[in-house]
Amino acid sequence: MSDTDAAWAALSKAAGAARDRRIDSLFAAEPDRLARLTLKAAGLEIDLSKQPWSLADLDVMLGLAQAGGVEAARAKLFAGEVVNASEGRPALHMALRAPDGSDFRADGQLVSRDVEATRDAMRAFCDAVRSGAKAGCTGKPFRAIVHIGIGGSDLGPRFLWEALKPLDPQIDLRFVANVDPAELAQALTGLDPAETLIVTVSKTFTTLETLTNAEAARAWLRASLGPASDSHLVAVSAAPDKAQAFGVPADQVFGFWDWVGGRYSIWSSVGLSCAVALGYDVFARLLAGAHAMDEHFRTAPLADNAPVRLALAHVFNRNGLSRPIRAVVPYAQRLRLFANFLQQLEMESNGKRVTADGQPAPHATAASVFGDAGTNGQHAFFQLLHQGTDIIPVDIVAVRQGAEGDPTAQTKLLANAIAQAEALMVGRPPAETTDPQRAFPGNRPSSFLLMERLEPETLGALIALYEHKTFVEGVLWGINSFDQWGVELGKTLATRVLGELEGGPAGAHDPSTQALIARLKG
Ligand code: F6P
């Protein structure tokens, strides 16, 4: 048996014992449990003591990380080696948030100077828009940005803006992702074209939804301002030639590189609209926070490494205890889009059924992720978390000091975060009720992530934590976390169906699809 197989067998054995044990009983059995299972990294405090593992199980999981080659994979990632084999690319998002003077190389080619030049161009553009030096074609300063993009070109920026936007922003930043025309119509309503920048973000600049919306937004500008309004178009793309061909002025096309995956791209010029609306210095602080987590991940031993520990806790649940779903509940309204962001990060990265070399994956891969802000989620899906037939581990994120509003409300929010984690684990002791409807079995795991304040640095660290956690899981599962072939078939079929809905010749389909096309045609 290989070391890796032995490590997976050890996990099965450890998890078998965990099934028959209560999490809360471990605190008495392991006096140093809380201290050993809590760690700090880059401004985040991460308590994994309410997870179902014992301290001995943690050692088993660290053995799995060793045997699974996490250290070597981490070294390859940071060295810019081709870790995305199916697309022949490195995955070097860490280069985007490294300080000036760094020496990141993508497959041997120095990229840090290009990164710095792009950041300088972003800063200059941000400053020019915010100061009014860069104004619209009628001379009015820009007061609104419509950010058009989808997937990785949307979820990160949308999450970031929601998390950090000022209460009364200088720039009204709105997002449009869906090809459903309702979203663009809503975003444009109330805006003055003379004061609006349209920032189209697409790594490939071929995405149907994004190009459809970009064309409609350009038409909206031109309808009121004429062709001169093309100076209101900005693009962010790894295919700058396509953006220019679309009509975006060359000096308003911000590039990035094929070694930046869409869902890892918030740190690149994909963050431009947020950087303009927040001010570049805020964006730079986000990068600094993520870099601090990179340095922690790169240098901390596996045993003390936050992304590794979080990954191991998730793998213990996913593989050891066969738990296919995880909930993410930030007790911070400003982080309410965290689960949406993680859905792409984790499920597009690790929702894979074959290994990197094309063999059937020997272990279950990514869990489904869902969630919403606490306390709202408590009044929606927490019933199932507490009393449903499935055990769904929960990642709770809390912020100690709220930035705005009534501090007593903030205390109530924190009380709920703490209480839910307690209720999930402890339940209601049988002595308290004999009524099965009111019984809470408990023994339901959670992680508790705490930050002092929601600031650009802690947000950057939080996102980078989950990026690296996702990477570590992918390494353990032997899959390529950086490709996404599973989204391609739907795109191809949609193009075919669109042709038919628009009057093209009928194709061969199953009867149900055929009937839907016939019904919706014309
Ligand atoms: O949904 C598939 C996907 O390729 C994502 O990986 C990507 O983030 C998104 O589409 C948008 O792609 P693009 O930035 O090229 O428009």
Side-chain angles (χ1 to χ4, degrees), residues 139-168:
K140 283 188 172 182
F142 290 111
R143 297 198 190 286
I145 296 177
V146 177
H147 174 115
I148 297 174
I150 197 163
S153 297
D154 167 68
L155 291 161
R158 211 185 270 257
F159 175 44
L160 175 56
W161 177 241
E162 192 67 27
L164 298 179
K165 71 179 173 194
L167 291 177
D168 184 15

mmCIF file of all heavy atoms in Angstrom, residues 139-168:
data_model
loop_
_atom_site.group_PDB
_atom_site.id
_atom_site.type_symbol
_atom_site.label_atom_id
_atom_site.label_comp_id
_atom_site.label_asym_id
_atom_site.label_seq_id
_atom_site.Cartn_x
_atom_site.Cartn_y
_atom_site.Cartn_z
ATOM 1 N N GLY A 139 -17.691 66.508 -20.728
ATOM 2 C CA GLY A 139 -16.954 67.257 -19.711
ATOM 3 C C GLY A 139 -17.413 67.013 -18.295
ATOM 4 O O GLY A 139 -16.784 67.460 -17.329
ATOM 5 N N LYS A 140 -18.503 66.255 -18.146
ATOM 6 C CA LYS A 140 -18.982 65.974 -16.772
ATOM 7 C C LYS A 140 -18.098 64.906 -16.115
ATOM 8 O O LYS A 140 -17.712 63.937 -16.779
ATOM 9 C CB LYS A 140 -20.408 65.434 -16.819
ATOM 10 C CG LYS A 140 -21.486 66.466 -17.064
ATOM 11 C CD LYS A 140 -22.826 65.769 -16.887
ATOM 12 C CE LYS A 140 -23.986 66.742 -16.907
ATOM 13 N NZ LYS A 140 -25.253 66.070 -16.688
ATOM 14 N N PRO A 141 -17.827 65.032 -14.827
ATOM 15 C CA PRO A 141 -17.072 63.975 -14.149
ATOM 16 C C PRO A 141 -17.893 62.683 -14.056
ATOM 17 O O PRO A 141 -19.123 62.719 -14.068
ATOM 18 C CB PRO A 141 -16.810 64.542 -12.750
ATOM 19 C CG PRO A 141 -17.793 65.646 -12.569
ATOM 20 C CD PRO A 141 -18.192 66.136 -13.934
ATOM 21 N N PHE A 142 -17.209 61.562 -13.949
ATOM 22 C CA PHE A 142 -17.915 60.279 -13.820
ATOM 23 C C PHE A 142 -18.420 60.098 -12.383
ATOM 24 O O PHE A 142 -17.663 60.250 -11.431
ATOM 25 C CB PHE A 142 -16.999 59.116 -14.201
ATOM 26 C CG PHE A 142 -16.706 59.072 -15.676
ATOM 27 C CD1 PHE A 142 -15.431 59.351 -16.161
ATOM 28 C CD2 PHE A 142 -17.718 58.772 -16.586
ATOM 29 C CE1 PHE A 142 -15.169 59.320 -17.523
ATOM 30 C CE2 PHE A 142 -17.451 58.747 -17.956
ATOM 31 C CZ PHE A 142 -16.178 59.021 -18.425
ATOM 32 N N ARG A 143 -19.702 59.783 -12.306
ATOM 33 C CA ARG A 143 -20.292 59.525 -10.980
ATOM 34 C C ARG A 143 -20.818 58.103 -10.849
ATOM 35 O O ARG A 143 -21.284 57.708 -9.791
ATOM 36 C CB ARG A 143 -21.464 60.484 -10.731
ATOM 37 C CG ARG A 143 -21.056 61.922 -10.704
ATOM 38 C CD ARG A 143 -22.107 62.795 -10.035
ATOM 39 N NE ARG A 143 -21.790 64.194 -10.243
ATOM 40 C CZ ARG A 143 -20.802 64.823 -9.615
ATOM 41 N NH1 ARG A 143 -20.051 64.193 -8.739
ATOM 42 N NH2 ARG A 143 -20.563 66.094 -9.869
ATOM 43 N N ALA A 144 -20.780 57.352 -11.951
ATOM 44 C CA ALA A 144 -21.302 55.982 -11.902
ATOM 45 C C ALA A 144 -20.447 55.070 -12.772
ATOM 46 O O ALA A 144 -19.888 55.507 -13.781
ATOM 47 C CB ALA A 144 -22.751 55.943 -12.382
ATOM 48 N N ILE A 145 -20.358 53.831 -12.350
ATOM 49 C CA ILE A 145 -19.702 52.793 -13.158
ATOM 50 C C ILE A 145 -20.663 51.623 -13.257
ATOM 51 O O ILE A 145 -21.222 51.176 -12.243
ATOM 52 C CB ILE A 145 -18.388 52.301 -12.509
ATOM 53 C CG1 ILE A 145 -17.367 53.436 -12.429
ATOM 54 C CG2 ILE A 145 -17.818 51.110 -13.268
ATOM 55 C CD1 ILE A 145 -16.070 53.048 -11.728
ATOM 56 N N VAL A 146 -20.845 51.134 -14.469
ATOM 57 C CA VAL A 146 -21.562 49.868 -14.638
ATOM 58 C C VAL A 146 -20.518 48.822 -14.992
ATOM 59 O O VAL A 146 -19.852 48.915 -16.036
ATOM 60 C CB VAL A 146 -22.650 49.980 -15.724
ATOM 61 C CG1 VAL A 146 -23.330 48.629 -15.926
ATOM 62 C CG2 VAL A 146 -23.684 51.036 -15.319
ATOM 63 N N HIS A 147 -20.355 47.876 -14.101
ATOM 64 C CA HIS A 147 -19.364 46.804 -14.270
ATOM 65 C C HIS A 147 -20.089 45.620 -14.897
ATOM 66 O O HIS A 147 -21.014 45.057 -14.310
ATOM 67 C CB HIS A 147 -18.797 46.444 -12.891
ATOM 68 C CG HIS A 147 -17.875 45.264 -12.883
ATOM 69 N ND1 HIS A 147 -16.537 45.358 -12.565
ATOM 70 C CD2 HIS A 147 -18.091 43.955 -13.139
ATOM 71 C CE1 HIS A 147 -15.976 44.169 -12.637
ATOM 72 N NE2 HIS A 147 -16.904 43.290 -12.981
ATOM 73 N N ILE A 148 -19.648 45.243 -16.089
ATOM 74 C CA ILE A 148 -20.287 44.131 -16.802
ATOM 75 C C ILE A 148 -19.315 42.958 -16.855
ATOM 76 O O ILE A 148 -18.186 43.082 -17.340
ATOM 77 C CB ILE A 148 -20.679 44.570 -18.232
ATOM 78 C CG1 ILE A 148 -21.724 45.696 -18.170
ATOM 79 C CG2 ILE A 148 -21.200 43.383 -19.043
ATOM 80 C CD1 ILE A 148 -22.078 46.291 -19.532
ATOM 81 N N GLY A 149 -19.731 41.816 -16.362
ATOM 82 C CA GLY A 149 -18.898 40.616 -16.378
ATOM 83 C C GLY A 149 -19.662 39.514 -15.677
ATOM 84 O O GLY A 149 -20.676 39.775 -15.011
ATOM 85 N N ILE A 150 -19.196 38.291 -15.828
ATOM 86 C CA ILE A 150 -19.918 37.173 -15.197
ATOM 87 C C ILE A 150 -18.916 36.176 -14.617
ATOM 88 O O ILE A 150 -17.742 36.165 -15.021
ATOM 89 C CB ILE A 150 -20.876 36.515 -16.238
ATOM 90 C CG1 ILE A 150 -21.934 35.636 -15.544
ATOM 91 C CG2 ILE A 150 -20.105 35.727 -17.290
ATOM 92 C CD1 ILE A 150 -23.135 35.302 -16.443
ATOM 93 N N GLY A 151 -19.361 35.351 -13.707
ATOM 94 C CA GLY A 151 -18.472 34.363 -13.084
ATOM 95 C C GLY A 151 -17.345 35.066 -12.348
ATOM 96 O O GLY A 151 -17.577 35.993 -11.566
ATOM 97 N N GLY A 152 -16.126 34.665 -12.639
ATOM 98 C CA GLY A 152 -14.977 35.274 -11.970
ATOM 99 C C GLY A 152 -14.810 36.743 -12.304
ATOM 100 O O GLY A 152 -14.119 37.471 -11.591
ATOM 101 N N SER A 153 -15.424 37.176 -13.367
ATOM 102 C CA SER A 153 -15.344 38.591 -13.734
ATOM 103 C C SER A 153 -16.450 39.403 -13.074
ATOM 104 O O SER A 153 -16.630 40.584 -13.376
ATOM 105 C CB SER A 153 -15.426 38.723 -15.266
ATOM 106 O OG SER A 153 -14.315 38.072 -15.841
ATOM 107 N N ASP A 154 -17.182 38.764 -12.172
ATOM 108 C CA ASP A 154 -18.292 39.435 -11.486
ATOM 109 C C ASP A 154 -18.286 39.173 -9.980
ATOM 110 O O ASP A 154 -18.412 40.095 -9.178
ATOM 111 C CB ASP A 154 -19.616 38.936 -12.075
ATOM 112 C CG ASP A 154 -20.827 39.318 -11.243
ATOM 113 O OD1 ASP A 154 -21.128 40.511 -11.179
ATOM 114 O OD2 ASP A 154 -21.453 38.417 -10.655
ATOM 115 N N LEU A 155 -18.163 37.892 -9.611
ATOM 116 C CA LEU A 155 -18.440 37.532 -8.210
ATOM 117 C C LEU A 155 -17.464 38.181 -7.234
ATOM 118 O O LEU A 155 -17.879 38.644 -6.160
ATOM 119 C CB LEU A 155 -18.428 36.006 -8.063
ATOM 120 C CG LEU A 155 -19.611 35.310 -8.748
ATOM 121 C CD1 LEU A 155 -19.319 33.833 -8.977
ATOM 122 C CD2 LEU A 155 -20.877 35.484 -7.934
ATOM 123 N N GLY A 156 -16.186 38.197 -7.592
ATOM 124 C CA GLY A 156 -15.197 38.820 -6.705
ATOM 125 C C GLY A 156 -15.449 40.313 -6.570
ATOM 126 O O GLY A 156 -15.580 40.833 -5.451
ATOM 127 N N PRO A 157 -15.524 41.045 -7.699
ATOM 128 C CA PRO A 157 -15.780 42.488 -7.583
ATOM 129 C C PRO A 157 -17.085 42.807 -6.849
ATOM 130 O O PRO A 157 -17.149 43.723 -6.026
ATOM 131 C CB PRO A 157 -15.845 42.942 -9.047
ATOM 132 C CG PRO A 157 -14.977 41.968 -9.782
ATOM 133 C CD PRO A 157 -15.176 40.652 -9.079
ATOM 134 N N ARG A 158 -18.114 42.034 -7.121
ATOM 135 C CA ARG A 158 -19.415 42.299 -6.467
ATOM 136 C C ARG A 158 -19.297 42.103 -4.950
ATOM 137 O O ARG A 158 -19.807 42.902 -4.150
ATOM 138 C CB ARG A 158 -20.450 41.326 -7.030
ATOM 139 C CG ARG A 158 -21.858 41.841 -7.079
ATOM 140 C CD ARG A 158 -22.801 40.749 -7.550
ATOM 141 N NE ARG A 158 -23.010 40.673 -8.968
ATOM 142 C CZ ARG A 158 -24.092 41.109 -9.622
ATOM 143 N NH1 ARG A 158 -25.073 41.669 -8.969
ATOM 144 N NH2 ARG A 158 -24.203 40.965 -10.926
ATOM 145 N N PHE A 159 -18.627 41.023 -4.563
ATOM 146 C CA PHE A 159 -18.419 40.718 -3.143
ATOM 147 C C PHE A 159 -17.579 41.829 -2.490
ATOM 148 O O PHE A 159 -17.900 42.329 -1.402
ATOM 149 C CB PHE A 159 -17.733 39.351 -3.056
ATOM 150 C CG PHE A 159 -17.324 38.910 -1.684
ATOM 151 C CD1 PHE A 159 -18.169 39.051 -0.592
ATOM 152 C CD2 PHE A 159 -16.083 38.313 -1.475
ATOM 153 C CE1 PHE A 159 -17.789 38.614 0.676
ATOM 154 C CE2 PHE A 159 -15.698 37.871 -0.224
ATOM 155 C CZ PHE A 159 -16.536 38.034 0.858
ATOM 156 N N LEU A 160 -16.532 42.209 -3.195
ATOM 157 C CA LEU A 160 -15.624 43.226 -2.659
ATOM 158 C C LEU A 160 -16.340 44.564 -2.441
ATOM 159 O O LEU A 160 -16.195 45.203 -1.395
ATOM 160 C CB LEU A 160 -14.472 43.371 -3.668
ATOM 161 C CG LEU A 160 -13.432 44.442 -3.449
ATOM 162 C CD1 LEU A 160 -12.799 44.282 -2.086
ATOM 163 C CD2 LEU A 160 -12.349 44.323 -4.528
ATOM 164 N N TRP A 161 -17.124 44.954 -3.412
ATOM 165 C CA TRP A 161 -17.823 46.247 -3.310
ATOM 166 C C TRP A 161 -18.820 46.215 -2.168
ATOM 167 O O TRP A 161 -18.907 47.131 -1.353
ATOM 168 C CB TRP A 161 -18.500 46.561 -4.646
ATOM 169 C CG TRP A 161 -19.304 47.833 -4.650
ATOM 170 C CD1 TRP A 161 -20.637 47.949 -4.882
ATOM 171 C CD2 TRP A 161 -18.823 49.173 -4.446
ATOM 172 N NE1 TRP A 161 -21.020 49.271 -4.834
ATOM 173 C CE2 TRP A 161 -19.928 50.046 -4.563
ATOM 174 C CE3 TRP A 161 -17.568 49.710 -4.160
ATOM 175 C CZ2 TRP A 161 -19.819 51.420 -4.418
ATOM 176 C CZ3 TRP A 161 -17.460 51.094 -4.005
ATOM 177 C CH2 TRP A 161 -18.572 51.925 -4.130
ATOM 178 N N GLU A 162 -19.570 45.138 -2.086
ATOM 179 C CA GLU A 162 -20.559 44.998 -1.014
ATOM 180 C C GLU A 162 -19.870 45.040 0.355
ATOM 181 O O GLU A 162 -20.388 45.621 1.305
ATOM 182 C CB GLU A 162 -21.276 43.653 -1.204
ATOM 183 C CG GLU A 162 -22.513 43.448 -0.377
ATOM 184 C CD GLU A 162 -23.650 44.381 -0.762
ATOM 185 O OE1 GLU A 162 -23.702 44.818 -1.930
ATOM 186 O OE2 GLU A 162 -24.465 44.669 0.124
ATOM 187 N N ALA A 163 -18.698 44.456 0.421
ATOM 188 C CA ALA A 163 -17.991 44.379 1.706
ATOM 189 C C ALA A 163 -17.394 45.717 2.126
ATOM 190 O O ALA A 163 -17.338 46.027 3.316
ATOM 191 C CB ALA A 163 -16.883 43.317 1.614
ATOM 192 N N LEU A 164 -16.945 46.507 1.158
ATOM 193 C CA LEU A 164 -16.148 47.687 1.527
ATOM 194 C C LEU A 164 -16.742 49.020 1.110
ATOM 195 O O LEU A 164 -16.189 50.071 1.427
ATOM 196 C CB LEU A 164 -14.736 47.564 0.919
ATOM 197 C CG LEU A 164 -13.891 46.370 1.397
ATOM 198 C CD1 LEU A 164 -12.543 46.377 0.687
ATOM 199 C CD2 LEU A 164 -13.684 46.371 2.907
ATOM 200 N N LYS A 165 -17.863 49.020 0.413
ATOM 201 C CA LYS A 165 -18.335 50.298 -0.140
ATOM 202 C C LYS A 165 -18.674 51.281 0.976
ATOM 203 O O LYS A 165 -19.246 50.904 2.012
ATOM 204 C CB LYS A 165 -19.535 50.078 -1.061
ATOM 205 C CG LYS A 165 -20.815 49.690 -0.371
ATOM 206 C CD LYS A 165 -21.948 49.512 -1.382
ATOM 207 C CE LYS A 165 -23.169 48.963 -0.701
ATOM 208 N NZ LYS A 165 -24.187 48.464 -1.619
ATOM 209 N N PRO A 166 -18.341 52.543 0.744
ATOM 210 C CA PRO A 166 -18.696 53.562 1.742
ATOM 211 C C PRO A 166 -20.211 53.722 1.809
ATOM 212 O O PRO A 166 -20.927 53.368 0.864
ATOM 213 C CB PRO A 166 -18.053 54.841 1.194
ATOM 214 C CG PRO A 166 -17.224 54.451 0.024
ATOM 215 C CD PRO A 166 -17.636 53.088 -0.415
ATOM 216 N N LEU A 167 -20.698 54.269 2.901
ATOM 217 C CA LEU A 167 -22.143 54.460 3.021
ATOM 218 C C LEU A 167 -22.654 55.447 1.972
ATOM 219 O O LEU A 167 -23.767 55.308 1.481
ATOM 220 C CB LEU A 167 -22.488 54.954 4.428
ATOM 221 C CG LEU A 167 -22.274 53.924 5.545
ATOM 222 C CD1 LEU A 167 -22.567 54.544 6.898
ATOM 223 C CD2 LEU A 167 -23.113 52.683 5.326
ATOM 224 N N ASP A 168 -21.820 56.426 1.652
ATOM 225 C CA ASP A 168 -22.248 57.426 0.669
ATOM 226 C C ASP A 168 -21.155 57.540 -0.395
ATOM 227 O O ASP A 168 -20.354 58.476 -0.389
ATOM 228 C CB ASP A 168 -22.454 58.766 1.402
ATOM 229 C CG ASP A 168 -23.000 59.824 0.454
ATOM 230 O OD1 ASP A 168 -23.483 59.465 -0.643
ATOM 231 O OD2 ASP A 168 -22.907 61.016 0.800
#
